[in-house]
Amino acid sequence: SLNATVRLYGTVTGTAAPHLILTVTRGTDPAPSFDSCAGFTADATNHTGAGPGVIWTGLLSTFPTTWASGVVDPATWTTSNARSYRFVISPVDRDAAEGLSSTFAPSWEARNT
């Protein structure tokens, strides 16, 4: 019943992370499913100058790891809000990333504002 600020952060391990670009896009999905973004629609707003709905883009190795440094959702959440986030990881340089591996465990956290 309280307004909240949502921040995204995560844990990244492995040697491939500096060779991968992560893009986080905020939007909606009428039927969200873990391994599919088939119904995902990005926000129309260009939040960061990187395209509609994009709230963060950069090397996976630089993604925030704590609430304090987390990516802030651009809107305050209220009781009836529902949003989806799409995480897309792509190589910066396929040759440099070849044979390397990384893991990424994203988190989102809402705190009363």
Side-chain angles (χ1 to χ4, degrees):
S1 64
L2 300 174
N3 290 345
T5 297
V6 172
R7 294 187 186 196
L8 293 88
Y9 56 96
T11 303
V12 178
T13 62
T15 55
H19 306 287
L20 302 171
I21 293 285
L22 169 64
T23 301
V24 181
T25 306
R26 179 181 179 263
T28 58
D29 191 333
S33 166
F34 170 68
D35 60 351
S36 173
C37 290
F40 182 84
T41 301
D43 287 352
T45 303
N46 188 345
H47 302 288
T48 63
V54 175
I55 60 172
W56 195 87
T57 189
L59 292 175
L60 180 59
S61 59
T62 65
F63 192 71
T65 58
T66 66
W67 160 265
S69 64
V71 177
V72 179
D73 185 293
T76 299
W77 285 44
T78 59
T79 302
S80 61
N81 288 138
R83 294 186 180 89
S84 293
Y85 300 99
R86 179 176 57 197
F87 293 79
V88 175
I89 297 174
S90 52
V92 174
D93 179 341
R94 290 185 190 273
D95 291 337
E98 188 173 339
L100 304 178
S101 65
S102 284
T103 60
F104 173 55
S107 296
W108 66 270
E109 184 176 341
R111 291 190 185 180
N112 176 254
T113 54

